[in-house]
Amino acid sequence: LTQERYPVTRLPFSVVSEDDLAAFERIVPGRVITDPEVLEASNVDWLRTVRGCSKVLLRPRTSQEVAHILRYCHERNLAVNPQGGNTGMVGGSVPVFDEIILSTALMNEVISFHSVSGTLVCQAGCVLEELSRYVEERGFVMPLDLGAKGSCHIGGNVATNAGGLRFLRYGSLHGTVLGLEVVLADGTVLNCLSSLRKDNTGYDLKQLFIGSEGTLGVITAVSIQCPPKPRAVNVAFLGCPGFAEVLQTFTTCKGLLGEILSAYEFMDAECMWLVTRHLRLASPVQESPFYVLIETSGSRAGHDAEKLSDFLDQVLSSGLVTDGTVATDQMKLKALWALRERISEALSRDGYVYKYDLSLPTERLYDLVPDLRARLGSRAKHVVGYGHLGDGNLHLNVTSEAFSPSLLDALEPYVYEWTARQRGSVSAEHGLGFKKRGVLGYSKPPEALRLMQQLKALLDPKGILNPYKTLPAQA
Ligand code: FAD
Ligand code: MLT
Ligand code: ZN
């Protein structure tokens, strides 16, 4: 399936032998998995669009074990695919051929938490939702949140530089990650696990690994800044009559809610149709062409409620919003978030999904959706737009009954060329992985690509770390 859809040739890495398995058994005793049934789940991505044929999965517990494994693989010229929760959207988390899967699933210990600074230090395999629970019990929150929180690992989040639902408030992991421990391709342990907010001693090496998608090193531990848990959280779920109104509501909300605004997400009517149809969720508001989810987070409930109520009065009376509902209690809050967070799940139940994750000028964020509906006609089942409007990030998704090469030809390079004309990004937050590695050039100049190739060659001269991913195949 993979090779047909994405033509690629295996590079001349060694093939895992019985001796290699015995060596791994000495490094991680009892944690060398060769059972095909267990391997099956780790060979296929969450979207079930790419599949590898790895014969072995390793489950180290410590950085030292990761270092031993990589030293050995480097020596033997064996390719390695780092894997966290396997929720990645671009086929980066699964092998393309028979790469060894290096899973962080057992590296799930919290190392330390400081309740004055809010600095959390933990192993890379901690599941995001578990970390959220851990810090919330101590009066803090994780600076990131995403629909995959129940499965994704913090190491995977850092490796993909995941954006998600709290980006508008707390910014990128490039700002909130304070330090990393990384094992390089040759087994060197690079300990940059600082907990300092400020540190200008030389180049900030950790930044190289944030968003490097397992191609430059294996992240084994993360130090991350957690903000205090907001005392008051409100969610408003609103219906808007058009995209122009979605934009004006955003402007109004930035003006009237100011510092308490913590999320501004949007979805179109087709997304609502998909979540109500495939997941049996109920829409809490009247049918509208667009919906927005606004979250406020602040320190005083009364103050925030007053601001939110002024804002709602204004948008409802001016007709920017035609219907809406507000939640403050945990249950309803979660139910409103589910409508937005579970769109990707609903889409995957609709058929084959063509996913695009674009950064675009906010005013033009939705233009491509109706344009594609007209272009694709009945060839597509659904063409939908949703995403992190507050961050200028559109998720444009197209579904069809089954994979169709002609539909793909109608989508690509059209979508990428359109995005490049707007000087947008062809990957806002999901990365390039295996499926998008050929499109980097739409958003970066040749000089940047060359420097990336040079950095890869410097850090991983044999190219054993996540081969066939992120960077275009070299001529
Ligand atoms: P994996 O999928 O296992 O791996 C992803 C990549 O990182 C691979 O290239 C892998 O090789 C590499 N990698 C993993 N662990 C390590 C490590 N320790 N060291 C080095 N490399 C490593 N993304 C967003 O940005 N925003 C969203 O809102 C969002 N929502 C999502 C919702 C759903 C329902 C799903 C399924 C996915 C969503 N994603 C989102 C995609 C996102 O990239 C991942 O969910 C997450 O960041 C990946 O973490 P993971 O542990 O599953 O990594
Ligand atoms: C989201 O924002 O829902 C995620 O990035 C996942 C997706 O786009 O499907
Ligand atoms: Zn997203």
mmCIF file of all heavy atoms in Angstrom, residues 233-237 293-296 308 325-328 332-333 336-337:
data_model
loop_
_atom_site.group_PDB
_atom_site.id
_atom_site.type_symbol
_atom_site.label_atom_id
_atom_site.label_comp_id
_atom_site.label_asym_id
_atom_site.label_seq_id
_atom_site.Cartn_x
_atom_site.Cartn_y
_atom_site.Cartn_z
ATOM 1 N N VAL A 233 -12.781 29.146 33.894
ATOM 2 C CA VAL A 233 -12.753 28.811 32.466
ATOM 3 C C VAL A 233 -14.181 28.839 31.933
ATOM 4 O O VAL A 233 -15.092 28.279 32.553
ATOM 5 C CB VAL A 233 -12.110 27.421 32.222
ATOM 6 C CG1 VAL A 233 -12.136 27.061 30.740
ATOM 7 C CG2 VAL A 233 -10.673 27.376 32.729
ATOM 8 N N ASN A 234 -14.388 29.523 30.820
ATOM 9 C CA ASN A 234 -15.691 29.536 30.143
ATOM 10 C C ASN A 234 -15.491 29.094 28.709
ATOM 11 O O ASN A 234 -14.462 29.422 28.096
ATOM 12 C CB ASN A 234 -16.257 30.965 30.055
ATOM 13 C CG ASN A 234 -16.597 31.533 31.412
ATOM 14 O OD1 ASN A 234 -17.557 31.104 32.040
ATOM 15 N ND2 ASN A 234 -15.803 32.488 31.866
ATOM 16 N N VAL A 235 -16.481 28.397 28.188
ATOM 17 C CA VAL A 235 -16.459 28.090 26.753
ATOM 18 C C VAL A 235 -17.759 28.580 26.137
ATOM 19 O O VAL A 235 -18.841 28.310 26.675
ATOM 20 C CB VAL A 235 -16.258 26.586 26.490
ATOM 21 C CG1 VAL A 235 -16.519 26.257 25.021
ATOM 22 C CG2 VAL A 235 -14.848 26.147 26.852
ATOM 23 N N ALA A 236 -17.649 29.322 25.046
ATOM 24 C CA ALA A 236 -18.846 29.727 24.296
ATOM 25 C C ALA A 236 -18.798 29.025 22.950
ATOM 26 O O ALA A 236 -17.752 28.994 22.290
ATOM 27 C CB ALA A 236 -18.852 31.241 24.103
ATOM 28 N N PHE A 237 -19.900 28.416 22.577
ATOM 29 C CA PHE A 237 -19.991 27.750 21.270
ATOM 30 C C PHE A 237 -21.051 28.506 20.483
ATOM 31 O O PHE A 237 -22.216 28.584 20.892
ATOM 32 C CB PHE A 237 -20.372 26.281 21.460
ATOM 33 C CG PHE A 237 -20.119 25.454 20.239
ATOM 34 C CD1 PHE A 237 -18.909 24.807 20.056
ATOM 35 C CD2 PHE A 237 -21.090 25.338 19.241
ATOM 36 C CE1 PHE A 237 -18.659 24.053 18.918
ATOM 37 C CE2 PHE A 237 -20.844 24.589 18.097
ATOM 38 C CZ PHE A 237 -19.625 23.947 17.937
ATOM 39 N N LEU A 293 -15.679 28.176 18.532
ATOM 40 C CA LEU A 293 -15.555 27.819 19.941
ATOM 41 C C LEU A 293 -14.578 28.813 20.555
ATOM 42 O O LEU A 293 -13.433 28.922 20.110
ATOM 43 C CB LEU A 293 -15.041 26.391 20.081
ATOM 44 C CG LEU A 293 -14.993 25.868 21.536
ATOM 45 C CD1 LEU A 293 -15.148 24.356 21.562
ATOM 46 C CD2 LEU A 293 -13.711 26.262 22.244
ATOM 47 N N ILE A 294 -15.084 29.547 21.547
ATOM 48 C CA ILE A 294 -14.239 30.540 22.209
ATOM 49 C C ILE A 294 -14.048 30.101 23.649
ATOM 50 O O ILE A 294 -15.012 29.772 24.343
ATOM 51 C CB ILE A 294 -14.916 31.931 22.166
ATOM 52 C CG1 ILE A 294 -15.050 32.388 20.705
ATOM 53 C CG2 ILE A 294 -14.127 32.953 22.978
ATOM 54 C CD1 ILE A 294 -15.900 33.627 20.525
ATOM 55 N N GLU A 295 -12.805 30.083 24.081
ATOM 56 C CA GLU A 295 -12.545 29.755 25.485
ATOM 57 C C GLU A 295 -11.922 30.966 26.166
ATOM 58 O O GLU A 295 -11.081 31.636 25.574
ATOM 59 C CB GLU A 295 -11.583 28.566 25.578
ATOM 60 C CG GLU A 295 -11.366 28.081 27.005
ATOM 61 C CD GLU A 295 -10.193 27.104 27.090
ATOM 62 O OE1 GLU A 295 -9.033 27.566 26.952
ATOM 63 O OE2 GLU A 295 -10.426 25.909 27.296
ATOM 64 N N THR A 296 -12.366 31.239 27.396
ATOM 65 C CA THR A 296 -11.693 32.250 28.199
ATOM 66 C C THR A 296 -11.088 31.556 29.403
ATOM 67 O O THR A 296 -11.655 30.591 29.927
ATOM 68 C CB THR A 296 -12.661 33.346 28.697
ATOM 69 O OG1 THR A 296 -13.574 32.770 29.635
ATOM 70 C CG2 THR A 296 -13.430 33.996 27.556
ATOM 71 N N LEU A 308 -17.444 38.312 29.186
ATOM 72 C CA LEU A 308 -18.007 37.404 28.186
ATOM 73 C C LEU A 308 -19.433 37.825 27.838
ATOM 74 O O LEU A 308 -19.840 37.806 26.670
ATOM 75 C CB LEU A 308 -17.975 35.963 28.721
ATOM 76 C CG LEU A 308 -18.361 34.858 27.749
ATOM 77 C CD1 LEU A 308 -17.438 34.842 26.533
ATOM 78 C CD2 LEU A 308 -18.296 33.479 28.423
ATOM 79 N N THR A 325 -24.233 29.090 22.946
ATOM 80 C CA THR A 325 -24.405 28.525 24.278
ATOM 81 C C THR A 325 -23.088 28.700 25.023
ATOM 82 O O THR A 325 -22.022 28.751 24.411
ATOM 83 C CB THR A 325 -24.831 27.036 24.198
ATOM 84 O OG1 THR A 325 -25.012 26.550 25.519
ATOM 85 C CG2 THR A 325 -23.785 26.170 23.508
ATOM 86 N N VAL A 326 -23.199 28.806 26.364
ATOM 87 C CA VAL A 326 -21.989 29.022 27.169
ATOM 88 C C VAL A 326 -21.915 27.948 28.248
ATOM 89 O O VAL A 326 -22.941 27.524 28.773
ATOM 90 C CB VAL A 326 -22.032 30.428 27.826
ATOM 91 C CG1 VAL A 326 -20.833 30.637 28.746
ATOM 92 C CG2 VAL A 326 -22.055 31.506 26.755
ATOM 93 N N ALA A 327 -20.688 27.505 28.546
ATOM 94 C CA ALA A 327 -20.510 26.501 29.600
ATOM 95 C C ALA A 327 -19.451 26.944 30.588
ATOM 96 O O ALA A 327 -18.440 27.547 30.208
ATOM 97 C CB ALA A 327 -20.084 25.181 28.977
ATOM 98 N N THR A 328 -19.695 26.643 31.852
ATOM 99 C CA THR A 328 -18.656 26.848 32.872
ATOM 100 C C THR A 328 -18.401 25.540 33.621
ATOM 101 O O THR A 328 -17.321 25.330 34.134
ATOM 102 C CB THR A 328 -19.068 27.917 33.924
ATOM 103 O OG1 THR A 328 -20.422 27.672 34.279
ATOM 104 C CG2 THR A 328 -18.927 29.317 33.386
ATOM 105 N N LYS A 332 -20.166 20.113 30.677
ATOM 106 C CA LYS A 332 -20.635 20.785 29.466
ATOM 107 C C LYS A 332 -19.445 21.347 28.679
ATOM 108 O O LYS A 332 -19.425 21.314 27.442
ATOM 109 C CB LYS A 332 -21.632 21.894 29.829
ATOM 110 C CG LYS A 332 -22.308 22.469 28.594
ATOM 111 C CD LYS A 332 -23.466 23.397 28.888
ATOM 112 C CE LYS A 332 -23.946 24.046 27.600
ATOM 113 N NZ LYS A 332 -24.776 25.230 27.827
ATOM 114 N N LEU A 333 -18.465 21.830 29.426
ATOM 115 C CA LEU A 333 -17.261 22.351 28.799
ATOM 116 C C LEU A 333 -16.609 21.291 27.898
ATOM 117 O O LEU A 333 -16.261 21.531 26.746
ATOM 118 C CB LEU A 333 -16.295 22.714 29.921
ATOM 119 C CG LEU A 333 -15.682 24.089 29.911
ATOM 120 C CD1 LEU A 333 -15.988 24.816 31.208
ATOM 121 C CD2 LEU A 333 -14.221 23.947 29.799
ATOM 122 N N LEU A 336 -18.662 20.541 24.754
ATOM 123 C CA LEU A 336 -18.502 21.542 23.690
ATOM 124 C C LEU A 336 -17.151 21.371 22.993
ATOM 125 O O LEU A 336 -17.066 21.416 21.767
ATOM 126 C CB LEU A 336 -18.639 22.961 24.252
ATOM 127 C CG LEU A 336 -20.028 23.336 24.800
ATOM 128 C CD1 LEU A 336 -20.038 24.772 25.309
ATOM 129 C CD2 LEU A 336 -21.109 23.168 23.725
ATOM 130 N N TRP A 337 -16.099 21.134 23.793
ATOM 131 C CA TRP A 337 -14.779 20.922 23.187
ATOM 132 C C TRP A 337 -14.768 19.677 22.288
ATOM 133 O O TRP A 337 -14.097 19.647 21.256
ATOM 134 C CB TRP A 337 -13.696 20.787 24.273
ATOM 135 C CG TRP A 337 -12.967 22.073 24.555
ATOM 136 C CD1 TRP A 337 -12.953 22.771 25.726
ATOM 137 C CD2 TRP A 337 -12.121 22.804 23.646
ATOM 138 N NE1 TRP A 337 -12.161 23.895 25.604
ATOM 139 C CE2 TRP A 337 -11.636 23.938 24.346
ATOM 140 C CE3 TRP A 337 -11.715 22.628 22.325
ATOM 141 C CZ2 TRP A 337 -10.777 24.881 23.765
ATOM 142 C CZ3 TRP A 337 -10.869 23.565 21.740
ATOM 143 C CH2 TRP A 337 -10.412 24.676 22.454
#
